[in-house]
Amino acid sequence: MRDRMQAARDARIVMGTEEGERLIGYLLDYCHVFKASMGADCDPNRTLFNEGQRSVGNEIVALIVNDADRFKPQTLRKVTSLAEGTDI
C-alpha cells in the first residue's frame, strides 16, 4: 500500500461512513483487540495465533487515531462498542 499517512487518511474516510464503522468494528472484534486472546483451553499455539491477529487490529486502531488533531475519544468508543456488539 502507499505510505502509512495515506493509509491513515483512507482509514478515517472509511470510518466516516456507517458501513465503514461496522466493517472496522467487525475487524477489530475478529482480531481480538477488545477481548482475551487466550482461549478457555489455554492452547499456547492458538494464543500465539490470536496475538498475531491482534497485531493487525492494533495497526488498524493506530491508523484511525494516529493524528492527534483529529483524534476524537467518542470515535474510538464507538468503534469499541461496535466491536463488542453494543451500539452507543
Side-chain angles (χ1 to χ4, degrees):
M1 183 175 232
R2 299 170 291 218
D3 71 357
R4 192 166 192 278
M5 290 305 293
Q6 183 62 52
R9 286 189 291 272
D10 294 345
R12 286 191 298 273
I13 290 169
V14 169
M15 280 295 297
T17 68
E18 187 177 325
E19 296 84 0
E21 285 182 354
R22 281 195 308 266
L23 174 63
I24 298 297
Y26 167 80
L27 291 174
L28 295 181
D29 183 56
Y30 183 81
C31 291
H32 311 282
V33 172
F34 301 110
K35 58 185 176 182
S37 59
M38 182 182 293
D41 60 358
C42 298
D43 177 2
N45 293 320
R46 171 56 69 187
T47 300
L48 290 173
F49 180 79
N50 291 345
E51 282 298 313
Q53 289 180 322
R54 184 192 304 263
S55 71
V56 174
N58 288 339
E59 176 64 12
I60 293 169
V61 171
L63 288 173
I64 293 169
V65 300
N66 76 339
D67 186 349
D69 293 333
R70 292 184 177 197
F71 175 71
K72 297 177 182 165
Q74 65 269 25
T75 301
L76 189 53
R77 280 195 296 274
K78 184 161 185 140
V79 170
T80 303
S81 70
L82 288 168
E84 292 173 342
T86 58
D87 198 5
I88 58 172

